[in-house]
Structures are given as C-alpha cells and as structure tokens.
Amino acid sequence: MSRSFSRYMKEARFALLLLLVLVVITVILTPSRFSPAQFGTTLGLMTPLILAACAVTPVFLAGREGIDLSVGPMIGFISVIIVKLLIHDAGVSSPFVIIPAALLLGMAIGAVNGFLAVYLRVQPIVTTLGTYLVLAGLATWILPSPLGPVPKWLVGLSENYSIIPLLFVAGIWLAIKSRPLYGMILTIGGEDRAAYAAGVNVELVRFTTYVIAGFFAAVAAVALTGLLGSADPQVGPNYTLLAIAAAALGGVSLAGGKGTMVGAAIGAVDVFLLQNLVTHFNVSSFVLQIVYGLILVLAVALNSDVIGRKSFFGRETTDG
C-alpha cells in the first residue's frame, strides 16, 4: 500500500505541490469552500472536470499519439440526450434507465473513435476533432438552448451524493487495474512493437481505451447534468482542453505509457481551485487562459524525461 502511494507521489509531485499551495490560499480567502456543510457541493462542482480528466487518461496511457479531443462535446451531447430525449420527450426519470443509457451511448461513441483511430488508422487527433465537431453540432441542433429541470436524484449527485460518481469511476478503474488489461495499456504505451512481439493484441487494447474514455465521459455527463440542473449544449466542449491540461498537470505523459489516474484527478482539482481563485478576484477569463497555458507547458516540461532525471519533480515509475 505504501509503495503504491509512493508511486502516486512521484508521478504527480508538481500537481501535489501546486494543490497544497492552492488549498492554503483558498482556505485563507474563502474558508467556507471547504467547510463540512459545503463539502458535498464543492465536490459536486469539481466532479465533472475530475471525471473528464479521467476520461482522457486511458487513451493517453496507450500511446501512439493517442488523444481524445471529443470528450468535452461527448459530455455535452450525452447530457442533451439525457434531458431532451429521455427526461422531457420520453418522460423517463428512473436512474435505472437513464444511467445505463448514458453509459451505453458513451461507450458507443468511444467505440466509433476507436474504430476510426485504431482499425482505420486515421490520426487520433483528426478522428476525435471530427467527432468533436459532429457531437457539438448535433447537441446544438437537438437542443439550441438550455433545458431543465431534471429529477431530484440527478441534482443530488452534485450535492449530498456527489461522491458517488467518483467512487463509481474509481471502482471501475481499480477493477481494470486488477486485470491484465491495465498492464497491457502501459506496455503498448511505452513500446507497442515489443508488446506486439510478446503476443499482445495491440489494436484491441488501444481500441478498448477509447471505449473506456467514452464510459467515463458518460459518467461525467450525468454528473454535469445534475450540477447544472439542466442540459446546456454550450458547456460540454469547454471541458476538453481543461481535461487535457489537468491530466498533463497530474503527470500523465501525452506520449503514452506513463501517468496515473490519481494524478489526473489531482490535476483537475488544481484547475478547479485556480478557477475558484480567479472568480474570487474577478480576474478576466483571458488571464485564466494564460495561466492554464503556462501551467500546462510547465507541467509537461517538469514531467519530461530530461528534466525528470535531474529534478525533484522527476517520475520514476508508473502505477495508476
């Protein structure tokens, strides 16, 4: 247990240091943010971004220029389908229908991305950028303006029960880690030719990471729908770059094979706290974009192999 925890620390040192600084500043400036009474609501505000960062991580870990730019619009699109078609048009309100439908839709979209990127060998950035545009357009076409309300159980997932989506995704990832699939993902991310020579079905494993990404994005969509209390087709796309920045900040290598899901989650919390501070000081959103860019570049640089071997922020192992 201690060894695994130590690996997490090594992978996300920069993100952890930044987290400590941000938490101290936040507690000083807005102490109510982490009060026991507000903890569920605060966690609910973080959850969609944390889950979005988790969604982009498996594809990164699988390497070979793997990336999923469609995660943000996928979250928005699934949210629109949940609210417009299921809740309002079909009159469905049961979580036993809505949640499975969302998960299946997310996995289906992930499978399309995986098929195009892995089996048809279209560059992943082109594939998922195309899916990004299609999903963003479809969401706006189906629902031109925000629509609500949503069932109380959905709203509860952003308040008192905000921990449930996170525990669900954590449980799924732990189950994946306990299977050979996890080791295969890291192996093909590090050196897919060696993995292929060892008998690993590289294409199937890489395809599976896109399906996992779609699954996690669907959970994020459910959490976002509860947070907004409605569906808004314009909100989802904003999560794409934030999720990628959070994952990189948390020590996930964009080249593949290195990083942890825990690190990606910590990076997402860092990004959320930065947003909170910017809101507190009424700083322009343009300044926030500059900060995101600087932190992203710094995080990638500090997590590089060249700097990593010579600094406190170096990464030595992978486990996630």
Side-chain angles (χ1 to χ4, degrees):
M1 183 69 177
S2 61
R3 182 180 179 185
S4 179
F5 182 76
S6 176
R7 288 177 178 176
Y8 292 146
M9 301 306 100
K10 290 173 183 177
E11 289 290 340
R13 284 175 176 175
F14 177 64
L16 282 167
L17 179 60
L18 181 61
L19 176 63
L20 178 62
V21 173
L22 291 174
V23 166
V24 171
I25 295 174
T26 301
V27 169
I28 293 173
L29 296 177
T30 56
S32 62
R33 176 66 73 184
F34 293 111
S35 67
Q38 291 294 318
F39 183 76
T41 300
T42 300
L43 189 61
L45 291 170
M46 297 181 188
T47 296
L49 179 55
I50 293 174
L51 296 178
C54 291
V56 301
T57 297
V59 177
F60 279 139
L61 292 179
R64 197 60 117 160
E65 300 178 352
I67 189 171
D68 192 347
L69 297 178
S70 70
V71 163
M74 193 188 312
I75 292 171
F77 177 73
I78 294 173
S79 178
V80 165
I81 296 300
I82 289 173
V83 176
K84 177 65 169 67
L85 300 186
L86 291 181
I87 295 176
H88 282 266
D89 290 356
V92 176
S93 61
S94 171
F96 300 105
V97 176
I98 291 175
I99 292 178
L103 296 178
L104 288 173
L105 180 57
M107 288 189 293
I109 297 172
V112 171
N113 281 336
F115 177 75
L116 293 173
V118 176
Y119 291 106
L120 295 189
R121 305 202 175 186
V122 180
Q123 286 188 334
I125 192 171
V126 176
T127 293
T128 55
L129 177 59
T131 311
Y132 178 113
L133 297 173
V134 170
L135 293 177
L138 282 175
T140 305
W141 179 57
I142 295 172
L143 186 66
S145 59
L147 177 66
V150 299
K152 290 183 178 179
W153 66 265
L154 261 174
V155 176
L157 291 179
S158 67
E159 297 174 348
N160 296 332
Y161 305 106
S162 56
I163 191 69
I164 291 178
L166 295 174
L167 290 177
F168 178 63
V169 166
I172 295 297
W173 187 246
L174 287 173
I176 291 172
K177 282 188 62 181
S178 68
R179 309 300 300 171
L181 174 62
Y182 175 72
M184 293 178 186
I185 291 174
L186 293 183
T187 300
I188 68 171
E191 182 51 69
D192 56 358
R193 293 181 181 178
Y196 179 81
V200 176
N201 189 331
V202 174
E203 290 184 335
L204 179 59
V205 172
R206 192 162 278 138
F207 170 83
T208 302
T209 62
Y210 283 95
V211 177
I212 295 171
F215 185 93
F216 288 170
V219 182
V222 173
L224 179 63
T225 303
L227 176 62
L228 298 177
S230 63
D232 187 341
Q234 305 303 319
V235 172
N238 297 329
Y239 281 93
T240 292
L241 294 183
L242 292 180
I244 293 173
L249 180 58
V252 178
S253 171
L254 307 191
K258 296 180 181 179
T260 69
M261 193 67 75
V262 173
I266 293 173
V269 176
D270 287 341
V271 171
F272 171 81
L273 292 177
L274 280 170
Q275 290 177 323
N276 181 67
L277 291 176
V278 167
T279 301
H280 177 78
F281 288 110
N282 293 317
V283 177
S284 168
S285 60
F286 298 111
V287 175
L288 182 60
Q289 291 179 4
I290 295 172
V291 172
Y292 285 155
L294 291 174
I295 288 179
L296 175 59
V297 172
L298 182 60
V300 173
L302 290 175
N303 282 298
S304 70
D305 291 334
V306 175
I307 296 179
R309 288 191 293 267
K310 302 178 181 179
S311 73
F312 167 78
F313 300 103
R315 296 171 308 178
E316 300 176 19
T317 57
T318 59
D319 187 41

